[in-house]
């Protein structure tokens, strides 16, 4: 497919600009561009077709089932985008005085109130731009807290091995040493190993819950108590809140700080790089350290305040504000009961599909799961030389986006399946049928799975080369 630069033809174009209604002044000579700006010249219709063609080459939630574990690729109601497109939200400038954007500050303060209610926290910042960015921010709060008490020996963050991959990375970025704690055979934190790991050097623990094998840790109260008793704080990776929102609250389970992924659970389409939002909620003991630009009720209106011992800005201005607008519209639509029902259906759908598949595929951990489950294709790999990758690529030919592959790392030949609550029983039945037929195909004709996909525009890209040598610039 040609790039826009390659489709460009001299003289084609479409500038529809209104007449200038301000005085024209020219820039000083030194500030002027010396070379022509090389922008593609295209008619609007060609641009529109280009992007539509691009869209057809990808698989999105609008094309079919998208059970990409840990990503919560659910359908996002269009009304939320309509709300975010309202000119009063979409057309503002970040430097506008607060009294001219009171409605926007109210959105931030109201979203904070709702999400604190859902998570059991006392305060929340919307500055972080994504989940991992929220993790870093939350860890900076933990660090600032210990430092403010002169407790400088707390340099370690405990991360169980069933945590999301970003957890240890964020802890390292925040300057902590990462201490790994293994899981037991149920996929939960090994309590004895945790007890042995905590001490006067423990700054805190990061728990992904439900964890990356889709399991709600049954000893969660015990875990947070062990860490608190050792003087550490508890961080809840709440990117998987889709499974528990409206049912249980991390703040009631001994957690001091949490991040959410609004672009997963709270209705912003994601994939392709953003924009996202990873708000960080915390208990009162950390609220003074929150980043700058904290929207707060002040008299009859709202104002931005600076928390007394703020860790500073973690992003320009106020975060990805329109993602927060979508989240609030979603919360208004669902209401308290709807939030709980969404979580219950997410869990029901995952268990329904797991039950339908468990006689064909091997499920990595037995028993009821939360919003996702993990299959292991180790046996198929050994006996038929068909890998998780081969199965994933074959599913593409059947109109299903592959589940997450080779993650979590503690399961070999893993496929992590997350159906989400927005899929109907009919969709799940049809998907189960396809999963099963792919398995039979692997037993009958393994080679055909090595050749898949045959219908996708790109067959098997060299993923290592794409990651190591990305071509990010167009060479004229
Ligand atoms: C997606 C995810 C993250 C990271 O979120 P990003 O927005 O991709 O940075 C962290 N933890 C868990 C459990 C996740 O599923």
């Amino acid at each position: 497919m040609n790039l826009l630069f390659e489709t460009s033809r001299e003289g084609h174009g479409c500038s529809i600009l209104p007449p200038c209604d301000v005085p024209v002044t020219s820039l000083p000579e030194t500030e002027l561009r010396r070379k022509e700006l090389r922008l593609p010249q295209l008619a609007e219709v060609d641009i529109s077709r280009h992007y539509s063609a691009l869209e057809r080459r990808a698989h999105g939630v609008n094309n079919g089932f998208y059970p990409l574990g840990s990503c919560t690729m659910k359908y996002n109601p269009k009304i939320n985008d309509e709300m975010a497109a309202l000119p009063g939200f979409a057309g503002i400038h970040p430097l506008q005085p607060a009294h001219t954007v009171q409605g926007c500050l109210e959105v931030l303060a109201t979203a904070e109130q709702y999400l604190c209610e859902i998570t059991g926290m006392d305060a929340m910042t919307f500055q972080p731009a994504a989940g991992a960015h929220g993790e870093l921010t939350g860890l900076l709060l933990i660090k600032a807290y210990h430092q403010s008490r002169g407790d400088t020996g707390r340099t370690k963050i405990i991360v169980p091995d069933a945590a999301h991959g970003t957890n240890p990375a964020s802890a390292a970025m925040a300057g902590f040493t990462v201490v790994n704690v293994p899981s037991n055979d149920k996929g939960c934190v090994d309590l004895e190993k945790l007890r042995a790991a905590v001490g006067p050097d423990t700054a805190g623990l990061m728990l992904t819950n439900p964890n990356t094998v889709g399991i709600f840790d049954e000893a969660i109260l015990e875990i947070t108590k062990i860490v608190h008793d050792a003087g550490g704080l508890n961080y809840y990776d709440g990117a998987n809140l889709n499974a528990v929102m409206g049912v249980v609250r991390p703040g009631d389970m001994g957690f001091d700080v949490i991040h959410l992924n609004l672009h997963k659970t709270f209705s912003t389409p994601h994939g392709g790089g953003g924009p996202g939002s990873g708000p960080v909620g915390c208990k009162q003991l950390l609220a003074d350290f929150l980043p700058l630009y904290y929207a707060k009720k002040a008299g009859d209106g709202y104002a931005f305040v600076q928390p007394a011992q703020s860790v500073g800005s973690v992003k320009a201005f106020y975060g990805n504000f329109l993602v927060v607008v979508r989240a609030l519209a979603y919360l208004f639509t669902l209401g308290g009961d709807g939030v709980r029902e969404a979580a219950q259906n997410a869990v029901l759908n995952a268990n329904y599909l797991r039950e339908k598949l468990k006689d064909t595929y091997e499920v990595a951990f037995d028993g009821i799961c939360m919003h996702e489950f993990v299959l292991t294709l180790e046996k198929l790999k050994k006996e038929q030389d068909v890998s998780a990758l081969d199965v994933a690529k074959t599913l593409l030919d059947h109109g299903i986006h592959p589940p997450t592959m080779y993650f979590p790392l503690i399961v070999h030949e893993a496929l992590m399946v997350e159906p989400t609550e927005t899929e109907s029983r009919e969709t799940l039945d049809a998907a189960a049928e396809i999963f099963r037929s792919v398995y039979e195909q692997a037993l009958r004709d393994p080679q055909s799975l090595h050749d898949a996909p045959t219908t996708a525009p790109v067959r098997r890209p060299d993923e290592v080369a794409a990651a190591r040598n990305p071509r990010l610039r167009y060479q004229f």
Side-chain angles (χ1 to χ4, degrees):
M1 203 177 137
N2 280 340
L3 301 177
L4 283 179
F5 286 103
E6 292 156 352
T7 319
S8 168
R9 290 290 170 272
E10 186 75 27
H12 290 208
C14 60
S15 35
I16 314 168
L17 296 175
C20 182
D21 60 357
V22 291
V24 176
T25 55
S26 47
L27 291 169
E29 191 62 30
T30 52
E31 304 296 323
L32 288 181
R33 158 177 294 283
R34 265 169 277 282
K35 275 199 231 143
E36 191 73 26
L37 193 59
R38 278 197 285 198
L39 291 176
Q41 301 187 35
L42 293 148
E44 184 174 320
V45 62
D46 296 324
I47 298 170
S48 181
R49 284 178 186 158
H50 175 82
Y51 284 109
S52 295
L54 266 183
E55 187 196 328
R56 282 195 299 275
R57 290 166 69 89
H59 182 103
V61 171
N62 286 332
N63 302 99
F65 192 42
Y66 206 131
L68 189 65
S70 198
C71 290
T72 312
M73 297 299 284
K74 61 187 182 183
Y75 177 77
N76 297 297
K78 298 285 178 273
I79 176 105
N80 303 327
D81 274 282
E82 281 168 33
M83 294 303 111
L86 290 175
F89 294 137
I92 55 170
H93 191 281
L95 290 174
Q96 247 171 273
H99 72 89
T100 65
V101 284
Q102 283 291 299
C104 297
L105 271 72
E106 189 176 347
V107 164
L108 290 171
T110 312
E112 178 191 26
Q113 186 196 335
Y114 276 49
L115 292 171
C116 280
E117 174 66 32
I118 289 172
T119 54
M121 294 291 156
D122 297 319
M124 187 170 282
T125 173
F126 291 98
Q127 240 195 2
H133 196 192
E135 290 169 26
L136 176 66
T137 307
L139 289 163
L140 292 178
L141 301 185
I142 292 179
K143 193 173 206 177
Y145 169 80
H146 290 309
Q147 277 173 355
S148 75
R149 294 157 44 96
D151 198 354
T152 50
R154 297 194 178 270
T155 54
K156 294 188 177 158
I157 291 283
I158 296 171
V159 183
D161 64 1
H164 194 74
T166 48
N167 292 185
S170 299
M173 258 188 97
F176 290 108
T177 308
V178 177
V179 180
N180 197 276
V181 177
S183 306
N184 58 26
D185 53 9
K186 288 184 188 158
C188 298
V189 174
D190 185 324
L191 291 182
E192 284 319 307
K193 300 268 165 58
L194 176 62
R195 280 198 191 92
V198 297
D201 56 0
T202 301
L205 162 117
M206 292 181 90
L207 195 77
T208 301
N209 190 68
N211 63 23
T212 53
V213 291
I215 288 172
F216 192 110
D217 204 302
E218 59 185 21
I220 202 155
L221 298 176
E222 190 67 30
I223 292 171
T224 54
K225 183 167 184 308
I226 291 171
V227 174
H228 274 165
D229 286 350
L233 296 181
N234 289 301
Y235 184 102
Y236 189 98
D237 179 332
N240 292 338
L241 208 75
N242 216 49
V244 299
M245 59 180 178
V247 182
V248 286
R249 309 194 316 163
D252 299 336
M253 299 187 284
F255 289 90
D256 307 288
V257 54
I258 181 176
H259 85 264
L260 306 176
N261 278 35
L262 298 190
H263 50 288
K264 288 181 181 167
T265 315
F266 295 99
S267 195
T268 279
H270 70 291
S277 175
V280 171
C282 65
K283 290 286 176 121
Q284 203 54 49
L285 84 169
L286 295 174
D288 270 353
F289 305 105
L290 283 174
L292 298 175
Y293 299 118
Y294 179 63
K296 208 177 165 149
K297 187 119 186 95
D300 289 341
Y302 294 87
F304 279 119
V305 296
Q306 303 199 352
Q309 304 178 67
S310 173
V311 294
S313 268
V314 295
K315 188 181 184 304
F317 301 111
Y318 323 106
N320 286 327
F321 171 66
L322 295 178
V323 180
V324 184
V325 176
R326 287 190 191 89
L328 187 61
Y330 184 62
L331 289 170
F332 281 158
T333 314
L334 289 183
D337 292 343
V339 165
R340 184 183 318 114
E341 211 179 304
Q344 287 168 337
N345 284 335
V347 173
L348 179 63
N349 277 0
N351 281 288
Y352 182 76
L353 193 56
R354 183 181 56 78
E355 279 292 317
K356 292 216 115 186
L357 295 183
K358 74 170 191 202
D359 294 334
T360 315
Y361 289 83
E362 191 183 339
V363 181
F365 294 92
D366 257 354
I368 303 283
C369 63
M370 297 302 286
H371 62 307
E372 63 190 2
F373 59 92
V374 182
L375 304 172
T376 167
L377 277 67
E378 219 176 348
K379 198 162 143 255
L380 203 58
K381 172 80 184 156
K382 248 190 229 127
E383 292 172 6
Q384 300 295 112
D385 193 31
V386 168
S387 65
L389 180 77
D390 294 328
V391 168
K393 295 295 179 189
T394 309
L395 287 169
L396 267 175
D397 279 340
H398 294 276
I400 291 184
H401 191 283
T404 297
M405 309 178 293
Y406 300 103
F407 187 80
L409 302 174
I410 50 179
V411 176
H412 295 293
E413 295 295 327
L415 284 182
M416 183 162 57
V417 185
E418 179 182 6
T420 84
E421 75 280 11
T422 53
E423 300 303 336
S424 67
R425 181 171 170 179
E426 289 74 17
T427 303
L428 298 181
D429 286 341
E433 217 29 69
I434 291 170
F435 270 82
R436 279 201 295 260
S437 76
V438 167
Y439 199 93
E440 282 157 22
Q441 187 184 337
L443 300 180
R444 207 177 51 240
D445 180 10
Q447 183 55 39
S448 67
L449 279 85
H450 300 314
D451 296 337
T454 54
T455 57
V458 179
R459 296 192 65 185
R460 299 238 178 158
D462 183 343
E463 284 161 11
V464 175
R468 298 278 168 203
N469 310 305
R471 278 185 18 217
L472 302 174
R473 287 184 64 191
Y474 182 65
Q475 302 294 332
F476 285 97

